């Protein structure tokens, strides 16, 4: 199958770290669905950051309640690409299917921390997306986005933070409808 010597879940997860096989391994694992979750969770602890990143990307689609805490912990990974993938998976509702994205009680504090102080601007930009999910409901989220919009060293992060503040395109598009 797909030129792999071994096609068990753990072997495919390890192939996420091989630039020649990562795409095929990712798609093969994704097609297998929930049956790969154990191997994907184990892959979050792999020494190769490309494997950890791929596992975070898989959890964006396959996440379950048991995996949520591990995905939150990956936001503190030493590799910026892994942090970006973890924060994206936590922020993205589009890929989740029937699983609900985590609430502010689980993800807002780590997202606020990364928005304010992560050394990588791409991580801060992804953290802005996650914080932005709570801008309508949490004063801390809105304050952090405004602070980032006003003072982040990266123009891209300032711009993205602005999308999630009043007057910003995403903030306005996602305004909760008035109950009535």
């Amino acid at each position: 199958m797909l030129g792999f010597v071994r096609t068990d879940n753990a072997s495919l997860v390890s192939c996420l770290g091989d630039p020649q096989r990562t795409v095929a391994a990712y798609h093969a694992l994704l097609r297998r669905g929930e049956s790969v979750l154990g191997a994907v969770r184990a892959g979050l602890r792999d020494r190769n950051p490309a494997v950890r990143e791929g596992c975070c990307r898989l959890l964006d689609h396959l996440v379950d309640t048991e995996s949520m805490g591990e995905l939150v912990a990956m936001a503190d990974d030493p590799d910026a690409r892994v942090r970006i993938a973890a924060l994206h998976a936590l922020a993205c509702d589009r890929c989740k299917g029937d699983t609900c994205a985590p609430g502010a009680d689980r993800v807002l504090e780590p997202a606020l921390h990364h928005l304010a102080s992560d050394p990588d601007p791409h991580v801060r930009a992804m953290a802005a997306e996650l914080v932005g999910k709570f801008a309508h409901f949490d004063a801390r989220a809105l304050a952090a986005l405004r602070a980032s919009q006003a003072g982040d060293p990266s123009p891209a992060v300032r711009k993205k933070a602005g999308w999630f503040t009043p007057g910003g395109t995403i903030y306005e598009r996602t305004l909760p409808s008035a109950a009535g």
Side-chain angles (χ1 to χ4, degrees):
M1 173 184 160
L2 305 171
F4 296 113
V5 174
R6 295 179 51 206
T7 60
D8 59 283
N9 292 341
S11 295
L12 289 175
V13 166
S14 70
C15 287
L16 294 170
D18 178 348
Q20 301 300 316
R21 293 187 173 94
T22 189
V23 172
Y26 176 87
H27 289 293
L29 288 161
L30 192 57
R31 280 191 300 275
R32 292 181 182 186
E34 293 177 5
S35 69
V36 303
L37 283 171
V40 170
R41 283 188 212 112
L44 293 173
R45 294 178 293 284
D46 196 278
R47 70 174 200 261
N48 184 336
V51 172
R52 297 192 308 271
E53 177 189 11
C55 289
C56 288
R57 289 179 36 240
L58 282 162
L59 286 176
D60 184 23
H61 297 273
L62 301 173
V63 72
D64 62 345
T65 306
E66 288 180 50
S67 301
M68 200 60 71
E70 292 182 65
L71 194 53
V72 170
M74 296 311 291
D76 290 326
D77 191 89
D79 189 276
R81 295 168 300 171
V82 177
R83 294 192 307 274
I84 292 166
L87 289 167
H88 170 82
L90 293 168
C92 181
D93 292 331
R94 206 174 42 235
C95 303
K96 298 293 180 286
D98 294 336
T99 304
C100 293
D105 60 318
R106 296 194 77 181
V107 299
L108 186 55
E109 284 302 323
L112 290 169
H113 166 75
H114 287 286
L115 178 60
S117 63
D118 198 282
D120 187 281
H122 297 100
V123 175
R124 293 194 309 276
M126 190 53 64
E129 288 188 29
L130 184 52
V131 172
K133 290 180 64 168
F134 307 103
H136 296 291
F137 309 105
D138 192 296
R140 297 172 306 153
L142 189 54
L145 289 163
R146 285 182 167 150
S148 182
Q149 180 185 20
D152 194 278
S154 167
V157 176
R158 291 193 305 268
K159 180 179 180 178
K160 187 173 263 192
W163 294 346
F164 295 94
T165 59
T169 56
I170 296 175
Y171 183 91
E172 299 301 323
R173 185 179 70 227
T174 59
L175 274 170
S177 58

